[in-house]
Amino acid sequence: MQVLKLTDKIEGASLNSTSILDLRFHNITNLPDNIGDFSKLVELSLLSNQLITIPDSIGNLTNLNSLSLSANQLTTLPASIGNLANLRWLYLGSNQLTTIPNTLGNLSNLTSLSLRDNYLTILPDTIGGLLNLKCLYLDRNQLVSLPDSIGNLVELTDLNLSNNLLTSLPNNLGNLANLTRLNLNNNYLTTLPDSLSNLTSLQELQINNNDIANLSILQKLPNLKIVKFQGVNLPQRYWHDVSEWQPQWLLNEYNSQLRRILIDRIGYLQIYNQFGALFQDTWRQYTLLKTRKFQSFDREPMMLLKMICPSTAHVHILRVPPDMKSAEEAIVWVNHGIHPDTFAVQT
């Protein structure tokens, strides 16, 4: 929409009576400064336009309850946005924001805040002032840490931190006693803070694509029902330190995805040492084996190739397709179709 037509539309509304102004999908590039004159406005939607900036006059809309600025090209927000004391819903997703103003923390009546799909690396400490916030969506940013003040958001029920660059979580995350859903997918976390045990209302936790090894703290969460781990809903019997997972659990696990995770985490060498295997064939330092106890629940036998490193004498175990007939054939498959003698010639 051209600025002139936009101005006509705004001027066509009554300053004294208009409570809802819907300007979605109008290809707006500039917002007239007189938008701040709509003192009775309670809902303003500018979803999916081409806005780069927002005029300071937006802060005059002190009766506003809902403001949607998602799917624009905003790189900054005016500090005056902190004047919207009655705002309850604020949607800022899918923009190009790298920072948010400290004044955002003044919005003490805010219940839902979406900042997803931006370029935020940090959050201001003042975010802890959003004392009535229930839903906070920070997914798909570049956050490397969280301020300690996030522990002040004690009314939060839904927190999405997925697809960021987090390596740790603040210990006072455990203050969020009303939290029911926590999404931590696709970060760089290796541990969960001890304070997580205080999240007694938590019902769903997503930790896919992190490198968290110790899950035992989850046993202290009485209402936890869903734990998404490595693409599956992980049953409670697995809520231990991953190093304590046992090969014999494979014998009673009929979920193929969970068996895959078990095998990946335990390793074929430990499985071989636990169960042993039937000798099938040998060729040089390679031995083809078939596990003895897996046919009862697997659709096909598990074939393993045992390799002994000539220089270190270390034993390595790899899984190979079940149709392998010889150790020589199996090592060719491991080498993506290249025979070991070919490597020797090239060397």
Side-chain angles (χ1 to χ4, degrees):
M1 174 180 285
Q2 300 297 320
V3 174
L4 179 61
K5 293 181 180 179
L6 172 62
T7 302
D8 290 343
K9 182 168 184 175
I10 292 176
E11 290 180 350
S14 171
L15 290 174
N16 297 321
S17 62
T18 298
S19 61
I20 298 175
L21 191 55
D22 186 351
L23 299 172
R24 296 174 297 167
F25 307 104
H26 279 77
N27 199 32
I28 301 168
T29 56
N30 293 288
L31 197 59
D33 195 59
N34 70 333
I35 191 70
D37 295 337
F38 285 78
S39 58
K40 301 296 183 182
L41 206 59
V42 295
E43 291 185 25
L44 174 60
S45 179
L46 290 155
L47 173 72
S48 291
N49 283 288
Q50 301 295 321
L51 293 170
I52 299 174
T53 60
I54 299 295
D56 288 339
S57 63
I58 198 82
N60 297 338
L61 305 178
T62 54
N63 287 309
L64 210 58
N65 286 332
S66 176
L67 174 59
S68 176
L69 296 168
S70 294
N72 279 279
Q73 298 180 28
L74 299 173
T75 57
T76 60
L77 296 171
S80 63
I81 201 168
N83 297 340
L84 307 180
N86 288 303
L87 204 61
R88 296 184 61 196
W89 299 279
L90 178 57
Y91 306 105
L92 297 165
S94 299
N95 278 287
Q96 299 177 30
L97 298 171
T98 57
T99 61
I100 54 176
N102 290 333
T103 55
L104 197 74
N106 297 339
L107 306 180
S108 58
N109 285 310
L110 206 62
T111 60
S112 183
L113 172 61
S114 174
L115 285 160
R116 59 174 30 129
D117 195 19
N118 277 285
Y119 296 94
L120 300 173
T121 57
I122 58 173
L123 299 173
D125 287 336
T126 55
I127 198 167
L130 306 180
L131 299 180
N132 286 297
L133 200 63
K134 295 184 180 297
C135 301
L136 178 57
Y137 306 110
L138 293 163
D139 45 305
R140 300 193 299 276
N141 277 281
Q142 298 176 14
L143 294 171
V144 295
S145 64
L146 298 173
D148 288 339
S149 63
I150 200 165
N152 297 343
L153 309 182
V154 294
E155 296 298 321
L156 270 186
T157 60
D158 193 351
L159 176 58
N160 192 333
L161 294 165
S162 64
N163 295 279
N164 278 285
L165 305 174
L166 298 172
T167 57
S168 63
L169 298 171
N171 200 51
N172 61 3
L173 194 73
N175 295 350
L176 309 183
N178 289 305
L179 204 63
T180 59
R181 289 181 298 275
L182 176 58
N183 190 335
L184 299 169
N185 289 342
N186 302 306
N187 277 283
Y188 295 90
L189 300 171
T190 55
T191 60
L192 295 171
D194 292 340
S195 64
L196 200 76
S197 62
N198 297 330
L199 304 184
T200 53
S201 298
L202 198 65
Q203 298 177 19
E204 178 178 341
L205 174 64
Q206 299 195 39
I207 50 176
N208 290 308
N209 296 321
N210 286 278
D211 197 20
I212 299 170
N214 193 343
L215 306 173
S216 56
I217 197 169
L218 305 185
Q219 298 178 30
K220 299 179 180 180
L221 301 176
N223 290 300
L224 191 59
K225 299 178 178 64
I226 298 173
V227 176
K228 295 296 181 66
F229 179 82
Q230 305 299 65
V232 301
N233 185 18
L234 197 67
Q236 189 171 1
R237 62 181 177 273
Y238 291 98
W239 298 356
H240 300 277
D241 192 313
V242 173
S243 65
E244 298 174 0
W245 289 6
Q246 301 298 318
Q248 58 263 32
W249 294 1
L250 285 163
L251 300 178
N252 299 313
E253 183 52 71
Y254 292 87
N255 183 301
S256 60
Q257 289 179 295
L258 282 171
R259 287 203 306 271
R260 171 183 55 78
I261 293 172
L262 268 172
I263 291 170
D264 179 63
R265 292 288 176 146
I266 293 172
Y268 293 112
L269 179 58
Q270 189 175 345
I271 292 171
Y272 166 73
N273 291 335
Q274 176 79 31
F275 293 117
L278 298 173
F279 171 84
Q280 297 295 111
D281 181 54
T282 186
W283 181 76
R284 297 180 183 173
Q285 70 266 35
Y286 307 103
T287 303
L288 185 65
L289 305 161
K290 179 192 292 186
T291 54
R292 291 179 291 182
K293 294 189 177 183
F294 293 111
Q295 285 89 62
S296 61
F297 67 83
D298 250 339
R299 295 179 181 176
E300 54 192 21
M302 183 184 290
M303 303 295 290
L304 303 174
L305 183 65
K306 178 181 179 182
M307 303 178 288
I308 302 176
C309 178
S311 57
T312 65
H314 288 168
V315 176
H316 303 277
I317 305 287
L318 295 175
R319 189 174 185 177
V320 296
D323 58 352
M324 295 286 107
K325 304 300 182 187
S326 69
E328 183 178 9
E329 179 187 12
I331 189 58
V332 170
W333 179 87
V334 169
N335 292 335
H336 304 286
I338 301 175
H339 196 280
D341 291 344
T342 304
F343 288 117
V345 171
Q346 291 174 347
T347 304

